[in-house]
Amino acid sequence: MRQHFDFIILGSGIAGLSCALQLANHGSVAVLTKKESAESNTNYAQGGIASVVSPDDHLESHIRDTLEAGAGLCHEAVVSKVVSDGPFVVQELIEFGVEFSRGQGGDFDLGREGGHSQRRVLHAGDFTGQVIEKALLQSVKSHSNIQILEHHFAIDLITTRKLGIEEKEPNRCLGAYVLDVRNRKVLTFTAGATVLATGGAGKVYLYTSNPDIATGDGLAMAWRAGAKVANLEFVQFHPTCLYHPQAKSFLISEALRGEGGVLKLRNGESFMERYDPRRELAPRDIVARAIDHELKKSGEDYVLLDMSHLPADYLQERFPNIGEALLRFGCDFTKEPIPVVPAAHYMCGGVMVDDKAETSLRNLFACGEVTFTGLHGGNRLASNSLLEAVVYANIAAREAPERLGGPPPNFEIPEWSSGHAADSDEAVVIKQNWDEIRSFMWNYVGIVRTNKRLHRAKKRIELLLEEIKEYYWNTVVSPDLLELRNIACVADLIIQSALWRKESRGLHYNLDYPSQSEMYRRDTILAP
Ligand SMILES: Cc1cc2nc3c(=O)[nH]c(=O)nc-3n(C[C@H](O)[C@H](O)[C@H](O)COP(=O)(O)OP(=O)(O)OC[C@H]3O[C@@H](n4cnc5c(N)ncnc54)[C@H](O)[C@@H]3O)c2cc1C
């Protein structure tokens, strides 16, 4: 049975929810999300959202910092648009019920993070993402035009090209096939416009700060449907995730370094002064590479982040979430240093969108971490992603209603069929392939790359893609299998992009080409 909405939005993080709230003024909206509605990268964001809200700060300064972090690849018009919309976005979030932390005089308590020349990060304690997610979900749930469908896993986009429908427009998105996970049924959703807001792909790597949902599904779906993607070699590794056997992906926010945290080797010696005059506040790629280098040199598994010289009361008040979580893992950060390692954190590249937030596939819009807008260039400035997500959600919500009008598509859309596929009794195959991909991506396509390692990764992913293709069509779809297919697709695209860029720039560092080359001062665009 086909279900039709004016708009379907895939994903319920900050991008999907912000977009839903705006689109609901123009028609019916379904927000489809693969797990519980709050489960998203957004929910784990700690540091905050960057914006110029202080009279001591200037838009030009935020623009300059963003461009500098981006290593020559930012699209200046996009940077200017996103930064200028910042104060408006902050106000909008406040109107949706987000309460940012304020100092005693009532002004915003602004945090400072690496690469920012000013204190300009609005935060809600160190629970910023959770506070935003909760406020937006509450507004969405009380809106009569929006339906949230949890445990609805988007499998693939439905396009005119795939259906063999000939139109003036070469390829158009009509909706998506979606697995209703609880009822084990594949449903057909059609819409006037579809919005991808499926977030990032940290789970492509063995170590990541991202929660389990971040398997690059939107990116892989868009690619399979024929949309262009860009700059996927620029993967941001967060320098500091907690190193502990039981901590799956616990991030130690950059804000700790912003407030005076010092990185040290296990023998207590500090080392950042040897890498950058900005020391702990150098951009993340520099800090992550410095740690990677020190770890490779010493053979140790982790370095230390020391906060113990700061007053305990202050630390407890400023970082209650982190402090509590660390205590659960047996570390009192007011008294002892925190063991940390770098981990895959953020995808700067993604599905290409234009200034209308539309992808190269008509009627398919995108916002949030799944996109490549041109904002981040070769490296993302801390706390610019939540901002970008809302700015592009607003743009998508302004433009997508233009695609309404006329009757809902009345083409024959075949129901999903998995042919003779059978339930698999070999879950071990999925787990094995999954572990293999994440492990070679970490070792060969990680913080420091070489041609040899990238070619090794390429050989392995080609083999696995073949295996997965065969397995996929003979097995009934399940979330694990779908995610495996998607991380394999994203891994392949990251490897292709990394091989294309024969230089080191921003987050992409290849020992065989250690410097920047003017020839490569352009985006890595892949078209299916
Ligand atoms: C630990 C951590 C800390 C961070 N801290 C900051 C910070 O301080 N400041 C900052 O600016 N950024 C921060 N970031 C990055 C920022 O949180 C993300 O870039 C941003 O939240 C992405 O929002 P989004 O809406 O695009 O995606 P998400 O919030 O990840 O939401 C994606 C949604 O899509 C759903 N989904 C995915 N695939 C499917 C599918 N196939 N079918 C249906 N639904 C699907 C997911 O379930 C989820 O609901 C942090 C990230 C992490 C992981």
Side-chain angles (χ1 to χ4, degrees):
M1 205 189 69
R2 191 201 291 190
Q3 301 185 49
H4 185 81
F5 289 82
D6 292 322
F7 308 102
I8 57 173
I9 298 179
L10 307 179
S12 58
I14 189 170
L17 297 177
S18 306
C19 193
L21 285 165
Q22 308 288 346
L23 280 176
N25 299 325
H26 302 273
S28 59
V29 180
V31 176
L32 309 175
T33 191
K34 69 178 176 180
K35 289 202 169 164
E36 289 78 30
S37 47
E39 200 45 25
S40 57
N41 274 8
T42 303
N43 207 37
Y44 296 86
Q46 296 171 345
I49 179 162
S51 178
V52 175
V53 292
S54 148
D56 303 331
D57 197 1
H58 303 280
L59 294 176
E60 294 70 32
S61 160
H62 189 179
I63 291 173
R64 206 169 36 245
D65 292 344
T66 304
L67 294 174
E68 197 172 314
L73 288 187
C74 296
H75 295 199
E76 292 194 23
V78 173
V79 176
S80 174
K81 164 78 183 154
V82 173
V83 168
S84 314
D85 278 9
F88 170 76
V89 158
V90 167
Q91 191 50 40
E92 194 176 87
L93 288 171
I94 292 171
E95 278 160 26
F96 283 129
V98 178
E99 286 185 28
F100 291 110
S101 299
R102 293 177 187 263
Q104 282 178 346
D107 291 341
F108 293 121
D109 174 33
L110 299 173
R112 178 155 183 207
E113 296 192 338
H116 286 277
S117 55
Q118 296 282 334
R119 283 190 170 269
R120 66 165 71 97
V121 180
L122 291 110
H123 62 95
D126 56 355
F127 296 96
T128 312
Q130 202 178 314
V131 168
I132 293 177
E133 183 73 22
K134 196 169 161 201
L136 293 178
L137 266 176
Q138 234 161 32
S139 302
V140 160
K141 283 180 178 162
S142 60
H143 205 300
S144 58
N145 259 3
I146 309 176
Q147 264 191 55
I148 289 207
L149 298 164
E150 294 185 323
H151 303 283
H152 277 60
F153 193 126
I155 303 175
D156 265 321
L157 298 168
I158 301 167
T159 61
T160 47
R161 185 182 287 160
K162 274 194 197 159
L163 296 180
I165 296 165
E166 299 226 355
E167 289 184 326
K168 200 166 76 195
E169 204 55 55
N171 197 7
R172 186 155 70 92
C173 181
L174 304 172
Y177 288 118
V178 176
L179 175 66
D180 173 350
V181 178
R182 294 221 157 121
N183 295 309
R184 301 190 71 201
K185 269 195 191 142
V186 177
L187 311 172
T188 307
F189 283 83
T190 55
T194 301
V195 181
L196 270 186
T198 46
K203 295 296 280 190
V204 170
Y205 285 91
L206 184 59
Y207 298 114
T208 176
S209 65
N210 292 189
D212 290 347
I213 53 100
T215 48
D217 300 353
L219 185 60
M221 277 189 280
W223 174 256
R224 289 193 291 266
K228 289 183 189 165
V229 300
N231 282 10
L232 290 169
E233 68 275 35
F234 296 112
V235 179
Q236 187 167 62
F237 290 86
H238 198 288
T240 54
C241 261
L242 177 64
Y243 178 84
H244 188 282
Q246 263 96 52
K248 203 167 170 193
S249 54
F250 189 73
L251 184 85
I252 305 296
S253 162
E254 179 136 6
L256 272 78
R257 280 178 285 127
E259 300 304 329
V262 181
L263 283 165
K264 293 181 174 172
L265 301 176
R266 284 183 71 188
N267 65 13
E269 187 194 327
S270 65
F271 57 89
M272 274 313 299
E273 61 277 14
R274 294 204 296 273
Y275 293 90
D276 194 283
R278 289 164 290 185
R279 298 185 48 127
E280 277 75 7
L281 286 180
R284 287 177 181 176
D285 56 319
I286 295 177
V287 182
R289 268 203 302 278
I291 298 177
D292 189 65
H293 189 247
E294 290 296 334
L295 292 179
K296 290 211 165 94
K297 208 165 64 172
S298 65
E300 301 282 3
D301 291 327
Y302 59 88
V303 295
L304 300 166
L305 178 64
D306 195 1
M307 305 294 291
S308 61
H309 52 288
L310 296 166
D313 291 357
Y314 169 73
L315 289 176
Q316 276 151 359
E317 194 195 332
R318 175 71 178 85
F319 302 110
N321 174 31
I322 295 175
E324 230 180 85
L326 285 173
L327 275 181
R328 283 201 299 276
F329 293 112
C331 172
D332 180 351
F333 80 140
T334 63
K335 296 200 179 99
E336 58 193 319
I338 311 164
V340 291
V341 277
H345 184 58
Y346 184 82
M347 294 294 294
C348 290
V351 182
M352 284 184 88
V353 292
D354 60 15
D355 58 357
K356 295 185 166 60
E358 196 166 20
T359 69
S360 57
L361 194 61
R362 201 167 156 91
N363 290 21
L364 179 68
F365 293 80
C367 46
E369 192 169 336
V370 69
T371 59
F372 164 79
T373 63
L375 174 71
H376 307 300
N379 192 0
R380 173 188 71 130
L381 184 67
S383 289
N384 264 357
S385 40
L386 292 173
L387 175 64
E388 180 198 43
V390 185
V391 171
Y392 271 80
N394 287 347
I395 299 175
R398 194 186 64 213
E399 300 294 334
E402 299 288 316
R403 298 284 181 265
L404 296 182
N410 55 2
F411 323 108
E412 192 57 41
I413 297 185
E415 297 224 332
W416 175 269
S417 157
S418 49
H420 299 294
D423 272 337
S424 167
D425 54 2
E426 282 206 278
V428 68
V429 177
I430 296 182
K431 186 175 177 321
Q432 167 61 28
N433 287 350
W434 179 288
D435 291 347
E436 214 173 318
I437 294 173
R438 295 184 68 204
S439 163
F440 72 67
M441 286 301 286
W442 181 258
N443 289 319
Y444 298 158
V445 199
I447 298 173
V448 176
R449 301 162 179 174
T450 64
N451 286 345
K452 202 164 155 189
R453 289 183 203 164
L454 290 174
H455 281 288
R456 277 191 188 139
K458 184 168 183 282
K459 268 198 202 149
R460 278 156 179 80
I461 198 67
E462 281 169 358
L463 195 70
L464 282 166
L465 281 168
E466 276 307 306
E467 251 180 66
I468 292 166
K469 198 155 121 199
E470 194 184 310
Y471 192 69
Y472 181 81
W473 293 112
N474 290 311
T475 310
V476 169
V477 288
S478 66
D480 286 349
L481 177 61
L482 294 171
E483 287 180 343
L484 172 66
R485 180 166 80 134
N486 292 333
I487 64 162
C489 170
V490 174
D492 180 38
L493 295 172
I494 296 176
I495 297 166
Q496 284 185 44
S497 309
L499 276 167
W500 179 83
R501 186 168 291 281
K502 295 182 176 39
E503 64 161 355
S504 288
R505 181 190 293 274
L507 299 163
H508 173 72
Y509 192 74
N510 184 334
L511 285 175
D512 291 310
Y513 314 105
S515 15
Q516 269 186 23
S517 151
E518 255 324 279
M519 244 178 71
Y520 285 94
R521 195 184 168 125
R522 56 203 164 109
D523 298 321
T524 314
I525 298 174
L526 303 180

